[in-house]
Amino acid sequence: MSASQCRFCHAPLQHTFADLGMSPISNAFLKPTQLNLKEPFYPLHAYVCGTCLLVQLEEFESPEAIFNDDYAYFSSFSDTWLKHARDYVDEMVERFGYSGSSLVVEIASNDGYLLQYFVARRIPVLGVEPAANVAEAARKKGVDTLVKFFGVNTAKELAATRGKADLLLGNNVLAHVPDLNDFVAGMKILLKPDGVITMEFPHLLRLMQQNQFDTIYHEHFSYFSLLTVEKVFAHHGLMLFDIQQLPTHGGSLRIFARHAGHVGQVSGAVPALLAEERAAGLERISTYSAFAEKVRVTKRKLLRFLIDAKEAGKSVVGYGAPAKGNTLLNYCGVRSDFIDYTVDRSPHKQGMFLPGTHIPIHEPERIFRTRPDYVLILPWNIKDEIIEQMSAVRSWGGKFVVPVPEVTVMA
Ligand SMILES: [Zn+2]
């Protein structure tokens, strides 16, 4: 049993969802000079609240320690993600008719990967981003960006100085918020009376169905079903009026919300997905408890594959250095004894080492020089993009492997 309380309803957390042992913070990449230093590990243990059924990690570290200036993730290094952002902007402008007199605010706007497409249409934007180095990259793209954590205080300040938002969006931020109630209350404050909120986050139902336990990492505090996110928004006077199911991150939800009491249609997609979640057992604790064993089976299968490959004299390298890869490799105890190195397109990660496992990160071209037998794709959510970029691997008989939902050598 944890000593923590639910970050939404404050009930004590008693039920385990997945216990992944001790792990370093997944974005704590190491420089060569740091390899011999002490490295902090924290429990990576997800609980489900017995009262409101929110799946969550207990609090263990301040957000400032997680999102420091070395935060290495720049959204603009994934082609798939940039296309996703551009399509979203096109769709929102068409559906809600934003113009030069609108204000679009993105929370956790990263390097301006999305707002740049509103800027290109001359629609006023403001990004709110806690990581100073990525915010600086956004400003260089002409995306006005405030370096701050979002919550009630930031919302009040922005409402007074910049005005309220017609569109308030956040992609993959809701799950990363330590103080969930303060964050959602802040959105309520910053939203115009007829404004629209959209939020994207990995969908818990898909995480469970597809065995995506590696998407559990320390920066990712909450794991939402539609059932729980609707409860959280309703508590803060916001109502969901539409949802879209997206393929990103292995299955994400995009929710559309507005002030409760606002007149207007609610899409039939909302009650339909709520019914699907109930049918899948997401209102019962036993459904969550069953997930823990599924995780242990996956670990054994991955280790069996790696042991067999090494005993057959095969070489294995990784592709990518995403947070989910660090969860997987640390949980499974896979180090450079199994995986010679990994590669990443981001120059900010090249020359660094993965936290915990100390696997070196090189540039992708290294794979063409060393010609490994297997390339283990860590960001399996963009495996099609990677297999296409790296198709030359097949010229020497190299094979791609994905670890989730279970270890699979790609045909
Ligand atoms: Zn709760």
Side-chain angles (χ1 to χ4, degrees), residues 29-249:
F29 297 100
L30 301 170
K31 301 183 181 97
T33 53
Q34 293 173 305
L35 290 176
N36 291 336
L37 301 179
K38 186 169 67 177
E39 190 178 0
F41 278 58
Y42 302 94
L44 189 52
H45 189 158
Y47 292 84
V48 58
C49 173
T51 302
C52 73
L53 297 173
L54 178 63
V55 172
Q56 58 197 291
L57 300 185
E58 56 184 326
E59 270 182 62
F60 66 95
E61 182 68 280
S62 70
E64 288 76 13
I66 297 177
F67 299 103
N68 61 29
D69 278 347
D70 293 331
Y71 189 56
Y73 187 74
F74 285 72
S75 293
S76 295
F77 286 99
S78 163
D79 298 338
T80 307
W81 191 236
L82 284 176
K83 180 179 186 311
H84 178 76
R86 196 176 58 234
D87 291 348
Y88 166 85
V89 171
D90 291 346
E91 188 184 326
M92 296 302 285
V93 171
E94 185 171 335
R95 180 168 176 178
F96 297 108
Y98 299 120
S99 68
S101 57
S102 308
L103 177 62
V104 176
V105 178
E106 183 179 13
I107 306 168
S109 49
N110 200 271
D111 58 3
Y113 75 100
L114 185 146
L115 289 178
Q116 64 181 338
Y117 299 116
F118 282 110
V119 170
R121 289 168 169 267
R122 303 188 188 284
I123 296 168
V125 302
L126 177 66
V128 182
E129 167 57 50
N133 61 335
V134 286
E136 187 51 38
R139 291 196 186 112
K140 284 184 186 145
K141 293 190 179 86
V143 175
D144 189 6
T145 304
L146 184 72
V147 179
K148 275 224 156 113
F149 279 97
F150 185 81
V152 165
N153 288 339
T154 302
K156 282 181 177 163
E157 182 191 323
L158 288 178
T161 57
R162 307 292 292 259
K164 295 190 177 186
D166 295 277
L167 173 63
L168 189 52
L169 74 122
N171 290 338
N172 300 304
V173 59
L174 194 62
H176 293 69
V177 167
D179 190 344
L180 182 61
N181 286 314
D182 183 65
F183 185 89
V184 180
M187 289 199 290
K188 171 87 179 168
I189 290 167
L190 190 56
L191 188 67
K192 272 190 186 167
D194 58 350
V196 170
I197 294 171
T198 74
M199 293 268 130
E200 289 178 29
F201 48 85
H203 187 191
L204 178 66
L205 178 65
R206 305 300 165 220
L207 183 158
M208 293 171 74
Q209 289 171 334
Q210 304 286 321
N211 192 28
Q212 299 162 354
F213 67 90
D214 56 345
T215 61
I216 297 171
Y217 48 85
H218 292 116
E219 299 89 326
H220 195 170
F221 296 110
S222 305
Y223 302 80
F224 294 102
S225 61
L226 185 59
L227 286 160
T228 54
V229 80
E230 187 188 48
K231 243 179 269 182
V232 173
F233 273 58
H235 180 78
H236 291 283
L238 296 165
M239 66 171 296
L240 308 187
F241 67 93
D242 199 3
I243 53 139
Q244 292 172 344
Q245 301 196 56
L246 308 168
T248 44
H249 295 282

